[in-house]
Amino acid sequence: MPPSCSGCLSQYTHHHLVVFLLTFFSYVLLHASRKTFSNVKVSISAQWTPSAQNQSAAAFSPGETWEDNHLFADEKHATLFLGALDSIFLFSYAVGLYLSGVIGDRVNLRYVLCFGLCGSAIVEFVFGTLTEWLHIYNVYLYCGLWVLNGLLQSAVWPCVVAVMGNWFGKTGRGFVFGLWSACASVGNILGAFLASSVLKYGYEYAFLVTSVVQFAGGVVVFFGLLTSPKEIGLHFELETGVGAVETDADSHRPLMSDEEEEETYSQQRRSVQTPDEPMEEPPRAIGFLQAFCLPGVLLYSLAYACLKLVNYSFFFWLPFYLSNNYGWKEAQADRLSVWYDVGGIVGGTLQGLISDLMGKRAPVLVFSLAMAMGALVGYSRSPDDKVINAAILAATGFFIGGPSNMISSAISADLGRQDVLRGSQEALATVTGIVDGTGSIGAAVGQYLVSLIESRLGWMSVFYFFIVMTGGSIVFISPLLVKELRDMWRNRQALRHQL
């Protein structure tokens, strides 16, 4: 581990570890339950469409069985509705992110986080388990429940990023957040294995298992999470490790530096810790429009909209694609799909570490996204071989999932801790909500387009669509790349003059 990272980690306490694990596993459980829907799409599609038995078996009443649970005439219409449900979820999720980010900067983060976890678990239980047990099949009910689920789940991500930003400072943020942002991929893997292990009993049991586990996790977080070091009186320098690992080298500063902000705030903390003087007022929360206008927020939000479209298309459609395109069993497709998440875990951690060493984020992102375009071309032509498919899939996850994890976590924290926020530090949840909310809008549009393109043009056209969207991410990040490269060149010139 690089010296900067080891020095940073040496400053952390067991409270940092507990916060890391609780926020990590809270989002793991949320993503595991979210992954369940994509893992059981084949089973749901079969349940919602007529079977050959309806038309040929004399022992059954075709009209009664058809009207009971068959919502669509064929699999194509069921697939389009599944894509519409994905878009409905992501649109409501995006709207909720804009709102929950603002709320998270004004209300106790623990309350908002637990409300989202437990409420979402209840809705998913009703959607996937209770409706099947009671034989209630209604398009409008499914749509309404999925809108509510998107709103509730949107409360979780801005809160966990804000809690992590409160506890972990700028130094080593790329590595720490890169490792921590693997929570989504770990959740996908956990959800895939949980769903495939009980799928033989019916898809309703996959929803049952993940929703119960998620609800229990929300209860644990409510009683165990500390949202800020201030709750236990930790000194600000201890919570960030700034004092032990600061460096004067400009080339090792991240894109959005908060060094001066933390230094000023640390001095303010020390100046008011005498018994005879009152405690300082809590920082004000930043406004939504003001947060949107912060440097880099708009460009990274638009880049993330393109990138999250591709990333979430793999998330929602990969098991369905493997089952339909290669004819593999649904449980096998679920297990094979986890290699995309394995690649994302490694990519997010390694690329975050490299960005820390460089002191810049954009060059790492652009290089990875350029490689992702090549990986998408390769995966679209993957042969009918599980080993080769898994290898190319892991490489695709590395180059797509890695940048996605960086933007949604480390870069969002950078943007929410800029120098211009001095005196108004409560912006982490708001900025995170804006970045992830804009990304979710792009993903929402993409999920319906994926189902539409696949039904009319086939899967190869879908992959061409992914390549174009990945190129769009590069276009939006390019101005930031130029700025960071110019800063690096200026820093080198200044060092030469000093020598």
Side-chain angles (χ1 to χ4, degrees):
M1 185 179 294
S4 60
C5 289
S6 60
C8 175
L9 293 177
S10 66
Q11 301 297 314
Y12 297 146
T13 67
H14 72 280
H15 295 293
H16 291 84
L17 178 61
V18 172
V19 168
F20 184 100
L21 293 177
L22 282 178
T23 53
F24 183 91
F25 283 106
S26 64
Y27 206 69
V28 164
L29 299 179
L30 186 81
H31 243 263
S33 62
R34 190 185 300 177
K35 181 69 172 175
T36 300
F37 180 65
S38 63
N39 286 336
V40 300
K41 276 183 174 177
V42 174
S43 296
I44 293 178
S45 178
Q47 182 72 356
W48 288 352
T49 53
S51 63
Q53 194 174 42
N54 291 123
Q55 303 172 358
S56 60
F60 294 90
S61 172
E64 179 184 349
T65 308
W66 188 295
E67 295 173 2
D68 220 14
N69 61 341
H70 295 142
L71 301 177
F72 305 100
D74 53 42
E75 184 180 326
K76 181 178 293 187
H77 288 85
T79 301
L80 286 173
F81 181 66
L82 290 171
L85 281 179
D86 289 336
S87 294
I88 287 171
F89 170 83
L90 286 172
F91 269 121
S92 59
Y93 184 71
V95 173
L97 281 168
Y98 289 126
L99 298 175
S100 61
V102 175
I103 295 172
D105 280 332
R106 290 162 172 80
V107 182
N108 190 301
L109 291 168
R110 183 163 54 91
Y111 298 158
V112 181
L113 175 57
C114 295
F115 178 76
L117 284 171
C118 296
S120 170
I122 294 172
V123 171
E124 287 167 353
F125 169 76
V126 174
F127 176 92
T129 305
L130 194 61
T131 55
E132 181 64 24
W133 284 352
L134 299 179
H135 303 293
I136 300 173
Y137 306 98
N138 185 280
V139 171
Y140 300 105
L141 176 62
Y142 288 138
C143 291
L145 287 172
W146 232 222
V147 168
L148 182 59
N149 189 36
L151 293 173
L152 289 169
Q153 289 204 13
S154 67
V156 177
W157 183 251
C159 291
V160 292
V161 173
V163 171
M164 284 290 294
N166 290 339
W167 281 90
F168 295 88
K170 154 184 91 65
T171 307
R173 180 179 287 156
F175 173 74
V176 173
F177 274 74
L179 183 63
W180 176 83
S181 64
C183 55
S185 297
V186 173
N188 295 342
I189 296 172
L190 177 63
F193 278 103
L194 287 177
S196 61
S197 63
V198 299
L199 194 55
K200 58 185 176 182
Y201 303 109
Y203 73 83
E204 63 271 24
Y205 290 97
F207 281 100
L208 174 64
V209 171
T210 53
S211 60
V212 169
V213 173
Q214 179 183 323
F215 188 90
V219 174
V220 172
V221 167
F222 181 82
F223 290 104
L225 181 64
L226 294 172
T227 61
S228 171
K230 300 174 187 177
E231 295 185 8
I232 54 175
L234 279 184
H235 196 276
F236 194 82
E237 279 193 353
L238 180 61
E239 77 189 57
T240 60
V242 173
V245 294
E246 275 183 0
T247 174
D248 294 327
D250 289 335
S251 61
H252 290 285
R253 297 176 64 185
L255 172 65
M256 302 298 174
S257 173
D258 54 3
E259 181 176 318
E260 294 179 7
E261 170 205 355
E262 292 178 347
E263 209 171 302
T264 302
Y265 188 74
S266 179
Q267 293 172 0
Q268 292 174 350
R269 291 278 293 180
R270 287 194 296 268
S271 67
V272 299
Q273 294 304 312
T274 60
D276 298 330
E277 296 181 5
M279 292 293 293
E280 64 185 62
E281 295 182 1
R284 301 184 311 272
I286 194 173
F288 180 84
L289 292 178
Q290 185 182 357
F292 218 116
C293 295
L294 289 173
V297 170
L298 178 60
L299 288 176
Y300 271 122
S301 296
L302 294 174
Y304 192 50
C306 297
L307 184 57
K308 192 169 184 177
L309 184 153
V310 180
N311 194 41
Y312 262 54
S313 295
F314 274 89
F315 171 79
F316 281 117
W317 289 101
L318 184 56
F320 187 86
Y321 165 75
L322 294 174
S323 296
N324 282 265
N325 195 57
Y326 297 104
W328 298 336
K329 294 181 180 179
E330 191 175 15
Q332 292 177 332
D334 290 344
R335 292 190 177 96
L336 186 65
S337 67
V338 304
W339 287 104
Y340 179 83
D341 297 299
V342 171
I345 293 172
V346 178
T349 305
L350 184 59
Q351 291 171 35
L353 178 60
I354 293 173
S355 71
D356 276 342
L357 295 174
M358 293 181 62
K360 307 294 178 184
R361 312 286 195 209
V364 180
L365 290 177
V366 170
F367 175 79
S368 182
L369 292 173
M371 297 297 294
M373 297 175 71
L376 286 168
V377 173
Y379 190 68
S380 67
R381 292 165 171 78
S382 176
D384 188 1
D385 182 278
K386 292 185 177 66
V387 176
I388 297 177
N389 192 288
I392 303 177
L393 187 59
T396 306
F398 182 93
F399 292 117
I400 293 177
S404 179
N405 291 345
M406 281 184 61
I407 294 177
S408 64
S409 58
I411 289 176
S412 293
D414 287 343
L415 296 170
R417 289 288 192 185
Q418 301 186 50
D419 289 338
V420 296
L421 293 173
R422 197 178 307 157
S424 178
Q425 295 188 31
E426 298 299 330
L428 271 175
T430 302
V431 170
T432 302
I434 290 173
V435 174
D436 204 21
T438 307
S440 296
I441 291 176
V445 174
Q447 300 324 297
Y448 185 75
L449 290 177
V450 166
S451 61
L452 189 64
I453 294 171
E454 188 277 329
S455 63
R456 297 188 177 183
L457 301 175
W459 283 108
M460 187 60 69
S461 298
V462 172
F463 281 101
Y464 290 144
F465 176 57
F466 291 164
I467 293 170
V468 171
M469 290 296 100
T470 304
S473 296
I474 295 177
V475 170
F476 288 120
I477 298 175
S478 294
L480 300 169
L481 172 66
V482 172
K483 178 181 181 301
E484 291 190 9
L485 292 178
R486 190 190 309 123
D487 290 343
M488 292 174 66
W489 183 81
R490 289 175 178 173
N491 292 334
R492 288 189 177 182
Q493 291 297 109
L495 287 174
R496 287 180 181 176
H497 287 305
Q498 290 178 3
L499 294 176

